[in-house]
């Protein structure tokens, strides 16, 4: 666990690096709850367990972190990660992130702790821009991102359709002071 006070998980919890073996089922449950009940994910159907194999492989191959917070019982309360923003070489210093909190544990500041950990990992990984694609009606996520210094970079109106209505997708970005020496190629 990180020793910086602003990254410390709430008392009785632990900041962890998630693995497929230990966390895939719990991450899948959090994903599927978000798919079924919210516009946090623009998916319609729950993901099958085998989808987590490819998800974790992609994270590992890209060197992308998956950080989580566990309670004393070993339950994954929340997780966050980032991955490829766009698959062209010139975007190599930009990533798109996501953060999900299990419905049972929302409102405890877990998202803030995880986002700070992701930002620290992004700096260490020489990332320049973190991008969050947020449903424009998700006021809690927007407030979280703004609290961390993310700026609204634009909104794609009616980008998605779910629950019988059009969804606007707002993009928020945080520009870091890394990499120290960016290079082409």
């Amino acid at each position: 666990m990180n020793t910086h006070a602003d990254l410390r998980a709430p008392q009785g919890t632990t900041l962890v690096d998630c693995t497929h073996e230990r966390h895939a089922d719990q991450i899948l449950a959090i994903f599927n709850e978000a798919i079924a009940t919210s516009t946090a994910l623009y998916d319609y159907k729950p993901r099958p367990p085998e989808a987590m194999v490819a998800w974790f492989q992609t994270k590992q191959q890209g060197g992308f972190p998956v950080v989580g917070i566990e309670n004393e019982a070993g339950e994954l309360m929340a997780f966050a990660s980032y991955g490829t923003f766009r698959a062209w070489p010139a975007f190599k210093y930009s990533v798109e992130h996501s953060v999900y909190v299990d419905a049972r544990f929302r409102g405890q500041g877990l998202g803030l702790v995880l986002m700070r950990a992701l930002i620290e990992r992004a700096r260490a990984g020489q990332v320049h821009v973190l991008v969050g694609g947020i449903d424009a009606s998700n006021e809690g996520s927007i407030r979280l991102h703004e609290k961390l210094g993310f700026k609204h970079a634009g909104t794609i109106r009616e980008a998605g359709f779910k629950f019988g209505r059009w969804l606007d997708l707002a993009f928020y970005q945080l520009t870091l002071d890394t990499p120290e020496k960016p290079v082409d190629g």
Side-chain angles (χ1 to χ4, degrees):
M1 185 161 126
N2 197 300
T3 58
H4 295 105
D6 62 346
L7 293 177
R8 196 165 294 135
Q11 188 169 358
T13 66
T14 306
L15 191 63
V16 297
D17 288 309
C18 295
T19 65
H20 180 269
E21 297 73 27
R22 182 168 170 88
H23 300 102
D25 290 343
Q26 295 174 84
I27 289 174
L28 181 64
I30 294 169
F31 272 146
N32 285 340
E33 187 275 334
I35 291 167
T37 65
S38 77
T39 55
L41 276 165
Y42 285 14
D43 276 342
Y44 294 124
K45 296 179 182 177
R47 296 178 181 180
E50 55 271 14
M52 295 311 297
V53 173
W55 189 82
F56 269 99
Q57 284 176 343
T58 299
K59 299 298 180 186
Q60 185 177 16
Q61 289 167 354
F64 302 132
V66 181
V67 294
I69 297 177
E70 290 181 338
N71 62 20
E72 291 173 331
E75 292 176 290
L76 187 68
M77 303 168 71
F79 73 95
S81 186
Y82 60 72
T84 302
F85 171 62
R86 300 199 68 186
W88 288 277
F91 290 107
K92 67 184 174 183
Y93 295 117
S94 297
V95 296
E96 185 169 0
H97 70 276
S98 57
V99 57
Y100 295 94
V101 179
D102 184 303
R104 299 171 297 161
F105 304 111
R106 291 184 186 139
Q108 299 180 29
L110 302 177
L112 184 63
V113 171
L114 287 172
M115 285 300 302
R116 287 180 171 152
L118 268 191
I119 292 166
E120 182 179 87
R121 297 280 183 99
R123 275 197 177 96
Q126 300 297 297
V127 169
H128 186 61
V129 174
L130 285 109
V131 177
I134 306 169
D135 183 78
S137 68
N138 189 341
E139 294 174 11
S141 186
I142 290 170
R143 278 194 309 272
L144 168 66
H145 283 78
E146 289 174 343
K147 182 175 185 171
L148 291 164
F150 282 76
K151 302 295 181 202
H152 183 249
T155 297
I156 301 174
R157 305 281 174 212
E158 299 184 1
F161 187 82
K162 187 174 178 181
F163 300 137
R165 68 182 193 277
W166 290 107
L167 307 174
D168 295 342
L169 182 61
F171 287 96
Y172 282 77
Q173 78 173 67
L174 180 66
T175 304
L176 303 176
D177 56 359
T178 49
E180 289 131 20
K181 296 182 180 183
V183 295
D184 290 339

